[in-house]
Every structure is written in structure tokens, then in C-alpha cells.
């Protein structure tokens, strides 16, 4: 435990021995004392308690020399009588033993005191952290405690935007070398990959050594503390690292607790929001759609009435009422879908299904809007099943078909093809319409985007394609527009995951 | 409020159950124009009372009634009621539709709907009521004709050979000609020993059947898929209603 020699402590020990000489001289003058060895035990004890084991041993040796001076012949270290030699050796052994024991006692006492200090500090840390309401406050408190406990400069770094790490925190981000931020970043990265240590040392040329400590909940690091170790070239002592770890653990526990509390609160809030949204959606759906159902139904009855159907102009009007009501209903459906998507309430019901069934379902649903158009179906005769929510993919396909019908001249065909490419099903809808330029190809899936070139001819809210994309992506698929440029048509490619190949029992058929 | 028309005549009696007066109004006019008789109810309680008193041939049942769930009305009816039931439902509730079909609804129509579509469905389900025992011995739709008794199938006059399982599937759908049958209902008929077997068997069987009897198996005209629900063998009327011309190719 004795790592270095403190000359001052030895001087103190010598002074204590010298001081003991005063009562020794007085004692010898007053009484014919056989030996003053006992007097010199006192400075050994005092040196052990105040200065430690080493000075106590020195005091014992010095005391023995002094004792010998008091044997006759007085004031000479010469020892003549054998009994005096025995006396001297025994008292030296006693002094040495007492010195060592008292020295150990002192070390033990110091350790207890240090532990008590650390416990007090930790107690202060945890009670302070308990009052912290957010992550930043916890970072600050941990950094301040670290600086206090280690009595060193501490710089706190946190992950900022764009992967850069910035110094933050209460000690006003003391000036620090720019390399330090970089070291903190690479330390955080190395720790998020493997089970590397939570503490490491960065040696910055000309900027000294820094102890880097990761702070955060399990998982990727959220913050790094850099403790200045100075430029003496020593590795930080085990004690410093241990107390740093202690503080870090306390901080991490608090961050975890804070995360749990927050997750709980968010879940409750989410449940309330979900319930509210469901009620709202149901009532919007009911309140808007019921009148529409009446309008559409009534118009369809009118269209069939002999008085109306005999008069083409009237029959056209009543058909228009029905078809506009249908269009309004689809817009409402789009809005409800967007609400569902934004609320994160989209939960696909996966099924393994023949993609041709989805294509045919979409064609049937969109039949009215595609009427008068040539639709070419180029499906392979044999294709594997896909694993998707058929209703969502059907709706995505309807939106894409409607979009194609909206932007391509009526005389041009719309082609639907399907095939397996690289382990996925490619479903493509090709039109020979206005096509897309580069910018439009990037933008068409953005909500509410509608091509500027077509702003006046095309109706609709522009939601269709962004809904289509969200639905496809929710099914683990993707969607990609291809166009050779304006006027050259558009090909929408939908990629869908295939169903796992399964062995189907033989003998049921054929 | 209970209203019912007292028109003379032998047209089938339709009980319209919906709490929205405007919906009832157009349904009443639309059905009456086609020679049906109408009874109206706006609550579940009225619906059950009228069903007992009037014994309608067809019940048009809205699911969102003020006093009870439409599904509970269906359950109450199905204990004794011999007539047909068509459910008026909203979109995005495929599971509910399946549950209702399996509880005994004959078909469903999604709001908003046109009268022509509804009448076509109504005629299909009424045929079952009018001819108890189900299917006609001879089915014709488009170029497809099926002689159920003699197990003969032909497409455009050319005989088609089907495996026993393929014919069984066609026969079940033919026995409920024009009606949608859920996957489970079909599985029960075709694999009575293990109806909980993988529905993929049914899908593959359907694919093979379509290959034999559809003019264009990639775009089936007769055996149509109701996504997430089941299959339907279209009637001639249904085929005409979707305007199934060769324009699609």
C-alpha cells in the first residue's frame, strides 16, 4: 500500500522521538530509572497513528538509539551490560510491533473514512438524480459528481444531429481540444458494436490523457464523459476508474428508470389517443358515409325508374349523382386511411395468397373507373403466392390503377404484369400517359403532391399514391416509379414478399 | 314506428332493417319498383317482431342498430327463420363479414351500394328460399354449363374433365350458386374430416379448377375470389352486371 515515501512524515517521527527525550531526561534526573525504553514507545505509537507504519518503524529504531544513550556510561551509545542489551532488543521488538499494528489500524481507519465519504457522495448523487426530470439533467448531475469525486476537469459529450458529438452540460463546456469530441465519438461507436469496456483512455498528443466513460442505458451510448488525467503519462489508477464506474452505474440506473417511466406514460397516452381516434373515425365514417349511401342508393333507384331511364339527359344526371357520391366515398376512405396510417394503427393481416386474386379484386373494384379503357393483363400462368394483407395490397393497386387512368389518355392501354425477380414478386402497372421527369418521380409519393403539369385536369387530393406506398411498405414490400421521361408513360413497380414454399400434400387432386 | 306496405300482390316480402330513414326510403322505392313488397323496422326489437309476424322472404339487415348489434339479430333469427338474410355492412370489416356469413347470413352488401347490385344479390338469395333444396340440377353461366346430377361439365359446348375433388368444389359453389362461401365453409364441405386443414389446399384446388373451366384463368369470370372472405360462383345475372366483356383483354 505504501507507494511513495513522504519525507515530511519521517521528519515528524524524528521530531516526536526528539520530543520524547525531554521527559526521558527529566525522569533520569529525578529518579534512578533503570531504563527509559518505555518512554520511547510513546513516539512510536504517535508516529504510527499520525504518519503510518514506515515512520513508526523509523521512530522505533531511533528510540532504541536514544535509549542506549541513557544507559551508563550516560550519553554514549555504548552499551556495556548484557541485561541492558536484552532490555534494548526487547523494547525495540515491542516498539516495532506496536508501530506496525498501529500503522495498519491507521490505514484501516483511513479506508473506512474514504468509504464513508464515497457513500455520502453517492447518496448525494442518487438523491439529486432522483429529482431530475429529464435525461439532460441526469447527464449534468453525473458530470458534476464525477468532477467533484475525481477532483478533475470533466467534459460531457452527447450525440448530436448528423452523428457529431458535442460538448454539453452545466460546467459551461470548459474549453476542450477538438480532438476530444472525435475521440468521444469513436469511443461511443466502438462500444455500440461490441462488448468493449465501458471505460477507456484516450491519449491525445500534446493534449494529455483523458479517461472516457460511457453513460447511458443498455444499448447504444447516449453520452460520454471525458475526465482530464493530465499529461504525466500514467494510466489512471484503479481507484479513479472504480469510482468513475460507480458514478456511471448510478447514472445508468436512473436513466433506465426514467426511460421506463416515460414509456409507461407514453403507452397510457397512446391508449387514450387510440380509443379517441377509433371513436372519431367511427363517427366520421358513419356521419359522412350514411348520407352518401342514401344519395348513391337514391340516385341508383332514380336511374332505374322508367320516367328517368327513358330520358337520356335525366338518366345521365342521376348516374352522375351516383358516381360522384361514389367518388366522395372513396375520398373519405382515403382520409380515413391516412388517419389510420398517421396514428400508426395500420396492422396488416397477413395471408398467403395468389397475387392474381389481388389483381382481379382490384380490377373488379376499379371497374367503373376503368370502364372504356383497355386493360392488358400479362400474368404468368404459374406464379408463387405472396404473403401480404390482400385488402391493403388491393387498395394500393386500386389507387395506382386510378392514378394511371387519371393521367394517361383514354385510348391508351394500361398493362398489368407480374413475375418473380430476385426472390420477390414484381407487380407492374404500366401506362402510356404523361410520364414523369426526374423530380416528379421523386415527389409523387409525397403526401398531397400532385403533378404541377396536371394541376388543372386531374381531380383528387393526391393522397392515392402515398397511401399506396404506405400500404405496400406495411406489407414488407416496396414501390418504385419508372419513367423514361415526360410523355413516355410510367411504370409503377410493386415488390411484394413471396410466401414461403410449402410442401402441399399430394393425392387430394388430379 | 312500424310501417309496412299493404300492397296487394304475390311479390316476395322484404323486411328492411335500418335506423336511417333515408336508406329505408330508397330501398322501399327500389324494391317496390321491382314488384317486391316491403316491411320496415328501425330497431332490432321491431325487426324480430316483424320477422315473426310477417314471415318475410328476405331480411335486409343493417349492422349498426340503435338497440342491439345486428349480429345478435342474425343469431336470433337463425334459430327458426327460413328466409334469406343479406347484411348491410361497412368497408374494412372482412372478419366481421366472415363471422356473419358463417353465422348464417346469405350474403352481404357494402355501403354505399347501388340498387342494381342489391337487387342482383337479392334475387340470388331468394332463389334458394323459393326453391328449397338449393341448386338447380343444371347450371349455366357464360359458356360454362354444369349438370350436377350427371356430373357433366362443359365449356362452350366442349366437355371438360374434372378430378373428383375439383368437381366437388364446383358442386358446393353451384349448390349456393351466386352466393359467397367462406374459406371455412368450403373446407368443411370438401375436407369434412379435417376442416381446419391449411386453406392453401383450397386455394390450389381452386387454381386448378379455374385452369379447367375459365376461358381466361388469369382473369376468372365465373369463379371469383372475394378477398379475405372466400369464393363465389357467379350467376349469369352477376356476370352481366360486372359487364364482363372481352374488353379486359
Amino acid at each position: 500500500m505504501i507507494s511513495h515515501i513522504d519525507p515530511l512524515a519521517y521528519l515528524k517521527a524524528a521530531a516526536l522521538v526528539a520530543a520524547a527525550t525531554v521527559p526521558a531526561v527529566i525522569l533520569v534526573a529525578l529518579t534512578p530509572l533503570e531504563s527509559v525504553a518505555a518512554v520511547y514507545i510513546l513516539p512510536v505509537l504517535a508516529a504510527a497513528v499520525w504518519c503510518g507504519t514506515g515512520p513508526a518503524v523509523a521512530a522505533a529504531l531511533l528510540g532504541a538509539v536514544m535509549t542506549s544513550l541513557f544507559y551508563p556510561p550516560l550519553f554514549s551509545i555504548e552499551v556495556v551490560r548484557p541485561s541492558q542489551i536484552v532490555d534494548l532488543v526487547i523494547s525495540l521488538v515491542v516498539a516495532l510491533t506496536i508501530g506496525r499494528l498501529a500503522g495498519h489500524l491507521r490505514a484501516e481507519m483511513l479506508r473506512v473514512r474514504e468509504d464513508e465519504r464515497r457513500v455520502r457522495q453517492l447518496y448525494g448523487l442518487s438523491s439529486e438524480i432522483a429529482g431530475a426530470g429529464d435525461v439532460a439533467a441526469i447527464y449534468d448531475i453525473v458530470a458534476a459528481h464525477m468532477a467533484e469525486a475525481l477532483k478533475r476537469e470533466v467534459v460531457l459529450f452527447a450525440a448530436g444531429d448528423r452523428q457529431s458529438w458535442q460538448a454539453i452540460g452545466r460546467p459551461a463546456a470548459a474549453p476542450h481540444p477538438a480532438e476530444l469530441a472525435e475521440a468521444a465519438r469513436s469511443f461511443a461507436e466502438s462500444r455500440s458494436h461490441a462488448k468493449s469496456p465501458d471505460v477507456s483512455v484516450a491519449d491525445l498528443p500534446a493534449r494529455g490523457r483523458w479517461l472516457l466513460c460511457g453513460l447511458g442505458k443498455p444499448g447504444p451510448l447516449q453520452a460520454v464523459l471525458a475526465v482530464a488525467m493530465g499529461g504525466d503519462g500514467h494510466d489512471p489508477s484503479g481507484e479513479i476508474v472504480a469510482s468513475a464506474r460507480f458514478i456511471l452505474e448510478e447514472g445508468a440506473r436512473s436513466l433506465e428508470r426514467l426511460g421506463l417511466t416515460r414509456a409507461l406514460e407514453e403507452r397510457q397516452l397512446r391508449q387514450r389517443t387510440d380509443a379517441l381516434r377509433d371513436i372519431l373515425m367511427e363517427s366520421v365514417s358513419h356521419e359522412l358515409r350514411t348520407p352518401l349511401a342514401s344519395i348513391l342508393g337514391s340516385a341508383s333507384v332514380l336511374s332505374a325508374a322508367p320516367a328517368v331511364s327513358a330520358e337520356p339527359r335525366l338518366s345521365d344526371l342521376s348516374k352522375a349523382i351516383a358516381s360522384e357520391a361514389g367518388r366522395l366515398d372513396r375520398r373519405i376512405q382515403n382520409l380515413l386511411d391516412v388517419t389510420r396510417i398517421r396514428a400508426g394503427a395500420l396492422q396488416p393481416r397477413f395471408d398467403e395468397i395468389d397475387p392474381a386474386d389481388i389483381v382481379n379484386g382490384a380490377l373488379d373494384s376499379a371497374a367503373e373507373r376503368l370502364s372504356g379503357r383497355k386493360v392488358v393483363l400479362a400474368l404468368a400462368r404459374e406464379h408463387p403466392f405472396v404473403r401480404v394483407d390482400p385488402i391493403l395490397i388491393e387498395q394500393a393497386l386500386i389507387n395506382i390503377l386510378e392514378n394511371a387512368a387519371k393521367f394517361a389518355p383514354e385510348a391508351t392501354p394500361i398493362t398489368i404484369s407480374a413475375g418473380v425477380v430476385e426472390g420477390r414478386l414484381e407487380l407492374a402497372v404500366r401506362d402510356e400517359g404523361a410520364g414523369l421527369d426526374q423530380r416528379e418521380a421523386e415527389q409523387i409519393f409525397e403526401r398531397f403532391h400532385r403533378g404541377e403539369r396536371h394541376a388543372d385536369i386531374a381531380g383528387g387530393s393526391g393522397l392515392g399514391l402515398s397511401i399506396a406506398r404506405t400500404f405496400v411498405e406495411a406489407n414488407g414490400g416496396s414501390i418504385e416509379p419508372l419513367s423514361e421521361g415526360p410523355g413516355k408513360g410510367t411504370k409503377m413497380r410493386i415488390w411484394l414478399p413471396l410466401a414461403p414454399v410449402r410442401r402441399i400434400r399430394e393425392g387430394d387432386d388430379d | 314506428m312500424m310501417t309496412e306496405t299493404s300492397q296487394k300482390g304475390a311479390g316476395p316480402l322484404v323486411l328492411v332493417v335500418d335506423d336511417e330513414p333515408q336508406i329505408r326510403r330508397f330501398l322501399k322505392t327500389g324494391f317496390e319498383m321491382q314488384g317486391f313488397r316491403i316491411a320496415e323496422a328501425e330497431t332490432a326489437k321491431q325487426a324480430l317482431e316483424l320477422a315473426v309476424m310477417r314471415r318475410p322472404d328476405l331480411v335486409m339487415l343493417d349492422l349498426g342498430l340503435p338497440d342491439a348489434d345486428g349480429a345478435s339479430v342474425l343469431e336470433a333469427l337463425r334459430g327458426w327463420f327460413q328466409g334469406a338474410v343479406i347484411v348491410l355492412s361497412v368497408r374494412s370489416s372482412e372478419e366481421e363479414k366472415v363471422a356473419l356469413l358463417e353465422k348464417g347470413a346469405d350474403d352481404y352488401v357494402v355501403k354505399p351500394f347501388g340498387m342494381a347490385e342489391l337487387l342482383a344479390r337479392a334475387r340470388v338469395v331468394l332463389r334458394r328460399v323459393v326453391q328449397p333444396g338449393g341448386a338447380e340440377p343444371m347450371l349455366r353461366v357464360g359458356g360454362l354449363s354444369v349438370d350436377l346430377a350427371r356430373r357433366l361439365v362443359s365449356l362452350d359446348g366442349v366437355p371438360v374433365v374434372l378430378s373428383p375433388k375439383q368437381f366437388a368444389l364446383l358442386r358446393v359453389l353451384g349448390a349456393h350458386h351466386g352466393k359467397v362461401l367462406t374459406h371455412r365453409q368450403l373446407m368443411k364441405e370438401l375436407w369434412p374430416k379435417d376442416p381446419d386443414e391449411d386453406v392453401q389446399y383450397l386455394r390450389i384446388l381452386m387454381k386448378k379448377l379455374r385452369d379447367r373451366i375459365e376461358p381466361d384463368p388469369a382473369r376468372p369470370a365465373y369463379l371469383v375470389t372475394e378477398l379475405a372472405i372466400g369464393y363465389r360462383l357467379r350467376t349469369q345475372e352477376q356476370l352481366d352486371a360486372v359487364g364482363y366483356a372481352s374488353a379486359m383483354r
Side-chain angles (χ1 to χ4, degrees):
Chain A
M1 284 302 280
I2 301 157
S3 50
H4 55 95
I5 290 165
D6 183 4
L8 202 69
Y10 287 85
L11 276 177
K12 268 188 201 164
L16 284 168
V17 174
T21 306
V22 177
V25 170
I26 294 169
L27 275 176
V28 171
L30 292 181
T31 60
L33 205 65
E34 270 298 291
S35 163
V36 292
V39 175
Y40 284 101
I41 296 292
L42 290 174
V44 173
L45 256 181
V49 171
W50 286 341
C51 310
T53 312
V57 170
L61 293 172
L62 202 58
V65 173
M66 293 307 286
T67 306
S68 67
L69 291 180
F70 286 92
Y71 294 134
L74 221 55
F75 307 122
S76 143
I77 55 165
E78 226 180 314
V79 178
V80 209
R81 285 178 21 207
S83 71
Q84 284 170 345
I85 294 175
V86 171
D87 181 42
L88 194 61
V89 169
I90 287 174
S91 54
L92 180 61
V93 168
V94 168
L96 283 176
T97 310
I98 285 177
R100 287 188 68 84
L101 280 176
H104 283 311
L105 210 63
R106 176 180 180 272
E108 200 61 39
M109 186 186 71
L110 286 180
R111 208 171 14 252
V112 168
R113 230 181 254 169
E114 173 61 23
D115 281 354
E116 194 191 307
R117 190 181 66 88
R118 196 175 291 165
V119 166
R120 252 205 317 274
Q121 210 169 43
L122 267 178
Y123 179 74
L125 174 67
S126 30
S127 64
E128 212 176 317
I129 279 184
D134 61 12
V135 175
I138 291 181
Y139 287 167
D140 267 350
I141 293 166
V142 171
H145 270 266
M146 190 77 92
E148 200 187 309
L150 305 185
K151 308 230 175 348
R152 281 161 205 275
E153 183 196 341
V154 170
V155 185
L156 173 64
F157 291 93
D161 304 337
R162 285 187 277 277
Q163 310 238 302
S164 77
W165 284 67
Q166 280 143 5
I168 55 165
R170 199 160 47 183
H176 62 277
E179 302 100 291
L180 191 57
E182 179 54 30
R185 189 189 61 78
S186 65
F187 166 69
E189 263 174 19
S190 74
R191 226 205 50 165
S192 68
H193 290 320
K195 274 197 157 184
S196 44
D198 50 354
V199 168
S200 130
V201 176
D203 204 347
L204 303 180
R207 301 290 190 170
R209 295 164 75 87
W210 295 77
L211 182 68
L212 298 176
C213 316
L215 174 59
K217 295 170 276 190
L221 271 187
Q222 291 113 13
V224 171
L225 291 170
V227 183
M229 303 306 298
D232 58 3
H234 284 296
D235 269 342
S237 74
E239 252 173 292
I240 285 187
V241 172
S243 71
R245 282 218 171 99
F246 233 90
I247 294 173
L248 293 179
E249 271 168 26
E250 187 66 26
R253 258 197 301 277
S254 303
L255 286 169
E256 209 168 341
R257 172 184 56 73
L258 194 69
L260 285 178
T261 318
R262 180 157 312 162
L264 210 65
E265 277 170 8
E266 272 171 14
R267 215 187 71 194
Q268 284 169 347
L269 188 67
R270 196 179 173 78
Q271 280 171 347
R272 281 201 296 272
T273 318
D274 281 356
L276 201 65
R277 187 200 58 237
D278 287 349
I279 293 168
L280 194 70
M281 296 230 324
E282 202 155 299
S283 91
V284 165
S285 179
H286 184 257
E287 292 305 316
L288 294 179
R289 291 181 131 179
T290 303
L292 271 180
S294 305
I295 294 170
L296 196 147
S298 304
S300 71
V301 173
L302 275 183
S303 304
V308 175
S309 58
E311 176 63 65
R313 286 186 303 171
L314 291 182
S315 133
D316 279 356
L317 276 183
S318 64
K319 277 178 189 150
I321 295 173
S323 93
E324 289 299 286
R327 197 163 78 154
L328 196 48
D329 183 68
R330 289 192 299 278
R331 298 280 169 266
I332 292 170
Q333 184 60 48
N334 273 355
L335 287 173
L336 291 175
D337 285 342
V338 167
T339 315
R340 214 149 52 106
I341 292 165
R342 289 190 57 177
L346 202 60
Q347 281 165 348
R349 294 179 180 283
F350 290 106
D351 198 358
E352 293 173 14
I353 185 166
D354 187 342
D357 282 346
I358 300 179
V359 171
N360 284 306
L363 284 175
D364 288 346
S365 301
E368 198 188 319
R369 284 147 275 163
L370 294 174
S371 66
R373 259 183 195 284
K374 189 164 187 250
V375 177
V376 181
L377 209 53
L379 304 183
R381 199 166 167 74
E382 288 297 327
H383 36 235
F385 283 17
V386 287
R387 184 173 178 278
V388 294
D389 179 330
I391 302 295
L392 289 183
I393 298 301
E394 183 198 27
Q395 188 58 48
L397 201 54
I398 291 172
N399 289 7
I400 288 168
L401 285 170
E402 267 189 67
N403 195 69
K406 210 185 288 175
F407 291 114
E410 237 182 299
T412 58
I414 294 172
T415 308
I416 305 175
S417 60
V420 176
V421 181
E422 287 171 5
R424 293 187 298 172
L425 186 89
E426 186 210 53
L427 205 58
V429 176
R430 186 180 166 71
D431 67 48
E432 287 167 25
L436 300 166
D437 61 33
Q438 183 98 41
R439 197 172 55 87
E440 286 172 319
E442 285 164 11
Q443 282 182 341
I444 51 166
F445 291 116
E446 281 169 28
R447 208 136 51 86
F448 302 119
H449 172 81
R450 211 173 59 196
E452 283 162 27
R453 293 187 288 137
H454 321 285
D456 46 359
I457 54 161
S461 57
L463 282 176
L465 286 183
S466 80
I467 291 172
R469 179 168 73 168
T470 312
F471 281 4
V472 167
E473 286 175 355
N475 281 276
S478 61
I479 186 166
E480 178 191 20
L482 272 186
S483 177
E484 285 170 15
K488 292 183 177 165
T490 308
K491 184 180 182 185
M492 283 287 178
R493 304 161 87 195
I494 307 172
W495 305 89
L496 297 176
L498 295 180
V501 178
R502 281 199 275 164
R503 189 192 300 276
I504 292 295
R505 189 177 51 203
E506 302 283 328
D508 266 341
D509 196 29
D510 289 322
Chain B
M1 180 199 71
M2 288 189 205
T3 55
E4 47 188 271
T5 45
S6 51
Q7 270 190 338
K8 300 282 175 199
L13 179 66
V14 179
L15 172 59
V16 174
V17 186
D18 198 311
D19 61 325
E20 291 290 333
Q22 297 301 338
I23 302 261
R24 289 203 307 274
R25 177 142 69 173
F26 91 75
L27 287 176
K28 177 172 148 71
T29 312
F31 273 116
E32 285 179 352
M33 270 168 52
Q34 298 294 320
F36 290 82
R37 291 174 300 137
I38 287 287
E40 291 177 49
E42 55 181 316
T43 63
K45 188 164 165 282
Q46 284 175 11
L48 290 173
E49 284 169 7
L50 276 178
V52 174
M53 287 187 331
R54 301 289 309 275
R55 299 281 169 136
D57 300 292
L58 168 63
V59 176
M60 301 288 316
L61 179 61
D62 180 57
L63 291 183
L65 295 174
D67 57 337
D69 186 357
S72 67
V73 178
L74 179 66
E75 268 171 31
L77 281 177
R78 270 302 165 231
W80 57 274
F81 181 66
Q82 295 299 312
V85 178
I86 293 181
V87 165
L88 303 180
S89 87
V90 292
R91 188 186 167 265
S92 325
S93 55
E94 271 64 27
E95 274 197 345
E96 191 183 31
K97 289 174 202 160
V98 168
L100 290 166
L101 288 168
E102 284 171 1
K103 273 182 191 156
D106 292 271
D107 211 337
Y108 62 87
V109 181
V110 178
K111 282 180 177 179
F113 52 85
M115 201 62 210
E117 183 191 357
L118 182 60
L119 284 168
R121 299 279 169 97
R123 291 199 177 100
V124 165
V125 299
L126 280 170
R127 204 172 40 222
R128 178 184 70 77
V129 179
V130 173
Q131 306 179 341
E136 313 97 295
M138 193 72 191
L139 299 179
R140 275 202 183 80
V141 50
L144 177 71
S145 54
V146 184
D147 183 337
L148 289 175
R150 292 164 59 206
R151 306 173 70 91
L152 292 178
V153 181
S154 67
L155 185 61
D156 297 328
V158 182
V160 176
V161 180
L162 297 182
S163 76
K165 211 74 184 173
Q166 289 164 359
F167 185 80
L169 176 55
L170 186 57
R171 195 191 56 225
V172 177
L173 287 165
H176 303 89
H177 195 183
K179 266 189 62 183
V180 61
L181 293 181
T182 67
H183 294 132
R184 214 184 132 70
Q185 287 172 330
L186 287 167
M187 296 294 292
K188 264 189 191 161
E189 292 283 342
L190 291 167
W191 287 276
K193 282 176 199 159
D194 43 356
D196 294 321
E197 210 22 291
D198 198 334
V199 74
Q200 293 303 79
Y201 293 121
L202 176 61
R203 295 202 165 114
I204 286 161
L205 181 63
M206 177 55 82
K207 205 172 155 100
K208 287 178 175 166
L209 179 58
R210 280 172 173 163
D211 283 346
R212 302 276 168 95
I213 66 167
E214 287 283 355
D216 177 5
R219 179 85 181 113
Y222 312 139
L223 297 165
V224 292
T225 302
E226 301 277 334
L227 281 180
I229 293 174
Y231 297 104
R232 184 197 300 271
L233 176 63
R234 277 194 178 123
T235 62
Q236 187 61 50
E237 195 181 8
Q238 287 167 339
L239 192 63
D240 296 340
V242 293
Y244 239 89
S246 52
M248 276 305 183
R249 293 292 280 182

